[in-house]
Amino acid sequence: MAEAQRIELSETSRERLEGLSKTMLGLRGLIDWTEEPGRVYKVEGPAEEPQQ
Amino acid sequence: MTALEAAAALRQKKVSSAELTLSALAQIEKHNGRLNAFLTVTAEAALEAARAADADFAAGLDRGPLQGIPIAHKDLLLTQGVRTTGGSKVFANYVPAQDGTVVRKLKEAGSVMVGKTLLHEHAYGITCNNPHYGPVRNPWDTERIPGGSSGGSAAALVAGMCLLATGTDTGGSIRVPASYCGVTGMKPTYGRVSKHGVLPLGFSLDHVGPMARTVRDTAAMLQAMAGFDERDQTTVDRPVPQYLPAEGEVSLAGLKIGLPQNFFFEKLDPQVDNAVHFLAYTAQDLGAELVEVRLPDGHQLNVVSQVLLLAEAAAVHEPYLRKQRAAYGADVAALLDMGRLIPATDYLQADRLRKRMLGVFLNVLKEVDCLLVPATPFAAPLIGQTEVEVAGSLEDTRLATTKYTRAFSALGLPVLSMPAGFTKAGLPVGCQIVGRPWEEDLLFKVGAGLEDRTGLWKRTPASL
């Protein structure tokens, strides 16, 4: 992907991205997959309060 | 002198706005060469506005406690006819035709703008070591960073170059400089203050907030800034309560303050740990009950916050980065490149996880009224220092600095950052008081009680 976008990452940036990616993979275990997708990704109105 | 003390003196005719403004401008003249807190000084316009404020007082027109008070705006906020750089080369010559909403509201409240403060380039970082305009220096030790990205605002307050200042906060940009410079700042609830007319970084994470020397000044300033704005779709139309705590000793009786048993007091300078616990016992002395709580994993929440910011900042800067890459400093360009490589699925799942983690935090905040945690794990690092030793291990300065602040930007919860104490070397360290959405008033009450008892804000650097 970096090559396709012609992005040259430093070693530090590459390692940090890999770390984030691995953690995000693990965090998927916390997601409630039974949630209604339409509810999760709904377009929020302007006057909505943070979800309680 | 605090802003509210100045406001009282103005009404008692002990001082004029012109005199306050001249004093601020004199401090800028005296210290800005060394601190580099201001990028633009608007002396002539400031004196004109001050004289107008004095004329209003003389005519019996009183717009409230900010009238005639010198204020500085972070150079991320659009100011009519005054260039707004975002601390960048990309916007080096941008002169907005209009004020942003917050600048306009503060102007309508009668405050007197003395200039624009320097920041980390594009507000994307915590050092304020700006590649285009030079480093902002910490007034407590000019070899150290002031924190960022609102570092110019914090340094200006300490040096008496203004009595109030605006800041913005996407991952800690109000709270980190408040901690490193020993001032107070409020990151309000997401949606409480308009972002219209503020150069964006992370659209679901950006907040605009007040900064000042004291909690009460910060409260008075938020009063003028808060409220629904039809030009910012993320603001919420709900009443703005009275923020300024009552005069006299504040009782915290009946309040429960949560002290997290995980993450926030792990791997930090023991001097910071001691300072924050000293404040906790002070709160207990004022009547509050201290309650041990457990919070969601801070490391996980920080990863979620980083994914959101990396992707959003890359999306915001995409058109500029493509055309003007050479105009970006190396650290910001590297972060934007990383952001372009965050998978869309990771971004969407991070947003989903954020909402889930907010639910857990809100459940904890049903058991306690607020949380008390450190703002930063250590005092201000040296300019150019890339790693910091914390509890025996080396950590990246930038990531370690924001590890206690980042999550609350992603969650949108209100946070008051205020001085907690000083290290043996005489450097300030700060704490965060975190509350339920829309309960900034409660945080100001707790903060005012602690501030009245400790008087920490009164200390100033010997060099000033």
Side-chain angles (χ1 to χ4, degrees):
Chain A
M1 192 162 166
E3 201 174 321
Q5 294 203 47
R6 293 179 190 165
I7 295 171
E8 287 180 32
L9 287 182
S10 69
E11 189 63 17
T12 309
S13 294
R14 195 184 58 75
E15 283 174 8
R16 191 176 156 199
L17 266 183
E18 279 179 9
L20 290 173
S21 180
K22 278 181 190 165
T23 307
M24 281 302 298
L25 207 57
L27 284 176
R28 278 158 167 85
L30 297 178
I31 290 175
D32 177 4
W33 298 102
T34 64
E35 281 178 326
E36 173 95 19
R39 184 174 164 270
V40 175
Y41 297 120
K42 69 181 175 181
V43 176
E44 292 180 351
E48 186 161 302
E49 295 184 24
Q51 196 173 325
Q52 299 288 319
Chain B
M1 184 185 275
T2 70
L4 289 176
E5 285 170 352
L10 282 166
R11 282 153 185 82
Q12 293 159 2
K13 301 190 183 350
K14 289 180 179 171
V15 71
S16 68
S17 176
E19 287 169 327
L20 289 173
T21 303
L22 280 169
S23 171
L25 293 171
Q27 290 296 99
I28 295 172
E29 178 73 23
K30 188 174 176 185
H31 298 297
N32 202 48
R34 197 164 53 98
L35 299 179
N36 201 25
F38 277 83
L39 189 56
T40 304
V41 181
T42 53
E44 205 172 304
L47 286 170
E48 194 178 318
R51 283 190 285 267
D54 287 332
D56 283 347
F57 278 123
L61 181 60
D62 193 333
R63 302 172 201 270
L66 271 50
Q67 182 168 316
I69 303 295
I71 191 170
H73 290 305
K74 183 177 183 178
D75 204 26
L76 200 69
L77 278 64
L78 273 57
T79 41
Q80 183 181 22
V82 179
R83 78 167 178 158
T84 301
T85 68
S88 74
K89 205 170 167 183
V90 173
F91 298 115
N93 300 310
Y94 173 43
V95 179
Q98 287 187 324
D99 289 328
T101 294
V102 161
V103 170
R104 177 181 56 77
K105 289 178 90 161
L106 289 167
K107 194 183 276 182
E108 286 170 358
S111 65
V112 174
M113 183 180 83
V114 292
K116 308 288 296 286
T117 55
L118 187 51
L119 60 149
H120 197 104
E121 183 185 14
H122 292 294
Y124 204 0
I126 55 87
T127 68
C128 276
N129 195 2
N130 193 296
H132 314 296
Y133 306 103
V136 182
R137 294 178 182 274
N138 191 316
W140 293 90
D141 178 348
T142 53
E143 296 304 308
R144 295 179 183 274
I145 64 169
S149 63
S150 310
S153 289
L157 286 164
V158 178
M161 297 164 159
C162 55
L163 294 177
L164 301 170
T166 47
T168 65
D169 191 316
T170 305
S173 285
I174 286 175
R175 294 160 288 154
V176 168
S179 176
Y180 285 171
C181 290
V183 301
T184 297
M186 163 64 79
K187 185 203 79 62
T189 308
Y190 188 79
R192 181 77 287 184
V193 173
S194 173
K195 299 189 296 289
H196 167 74
V198 180
L199 296 173
L201 178 64
F203 35 79
S204 79
L205 306 161
D206 292 340
H207 300 70
V208 186
M211 299 177 78
R213 290 302 300 271
T214 68
V215 172
R216 284 189 167 83
D217 282 2
T218 309
M221 191 173 161
L222 182 63
Q223 199 78 53
M225 297 166 73
F228 174 69
D229 179 13
E230 62 185 17
R231 286 174 293 184
D232 178 355
Q233 293 275 301
T234 65
T235 55
V236 176
D237 192 3
R238 57 183 295 146
V240 177
Q242 177 59 242
Y243 289 132
L244 192 61
E247 288 293 324
E249 178 153 314
V250 176
S251 169
L252 302 185
L255 289 182
K256 290 182 178 177
I257 298 180
L259 286 173
Q261 296 307 295
N262 59 322
F263 185 68
F264 284 96
F265 291 98
E266 296 165 0
K267 295 192 81 176
L268 76 169
D269 182 338
Q271 297 178 97
V272 177
D273 190 329
N274 290 340
V276 177
H277 275 95
F278 168 72
L279 275 194
Y281 299 133
T282 304
Q284 193 174 38
D285 206 33
L286 289 167
E289 180 186 347
L290 303 182
V291 180
E292 293 184 352
V293 295
R294 284 199 75 80
L295 297 171
D297 187 299
H299 299 290
Q300 293 177 346
L301 195 41
N302 275 341
V303 166
V304 166
S305 308
Q306 286 175 59
V307 166
L308 292 168
L309 177 55
L310 284 165
E312 291 184 11
V316 165
H317 280 273
E318 192 172 40
Y320 309 109
L321 190 65
R322 282 199 175 149
K323 290 178 184 168
Q324 302 179 63
R325 186 177 180 87
Y328 282 82
D331 67 328
V332 171
L335 289 170
L336 294 173
D337 281 343
M338 286 172 64
R340 290 165 67 194
L341 298 173
I342 295 287
T345 45
D346 275 5
Y347 177 78
L348 289 166
Q349 305 301 16
D351 191 37
R352 197 170 181 174
L353 286 160
R354 159 171 52 183
K355 287 170 183 162
R356 188 166 185 79
M357 289 171 173
L358 175 60
V360 180
F361 264 86
L362 292 176
N363 280 335
V364 173
L365 286 166
K366 283 178 186 163
E367 306 300 319
V368 295
D369 295 289
C370 59
L371 305 169
L372 178 61
V373 298
T376 53
F378 37 74
L382 293 164
I383 293 171
Q385 186 177 346
T386 55
E387 289 183 315
V388 183
E389 187 178 334
V390 193
S393 60
L394 280 178
E395 293 189 27
D396 177 278
T397 301
R398 293 178 302 175
L399 292 174
T401 289
T402 54
K403 71 179 179 181
Y404 298 148
T405 55
R406 196 179 280 277
F408 300 122
S409 295
L411 298 175
L413 297 172
V415 188
L416 179 70
S417 177
M418 63 180 288
F422 290 83
T423 64
K424 284 175 191 162
L427 295 171
V429 291
C431 70
Q432 300 181 92
I433 306 171
V434 186
R436 293 183 280 257
W438 318 112
E439 292 193 0
E440 288 85 356
D441 50 345
L442 185 137
L443 306 185
F444 285 129
K445 179 183 171 182
V446 174
L450 295 173
E451 180 177 82
D452 289 348
R453 184 62 70 91
T454 62
L456 286 166
W457 72 270
K458 293 176 182 168
R459 275 174 77 164
T460 50
S463 64
L464 298 173

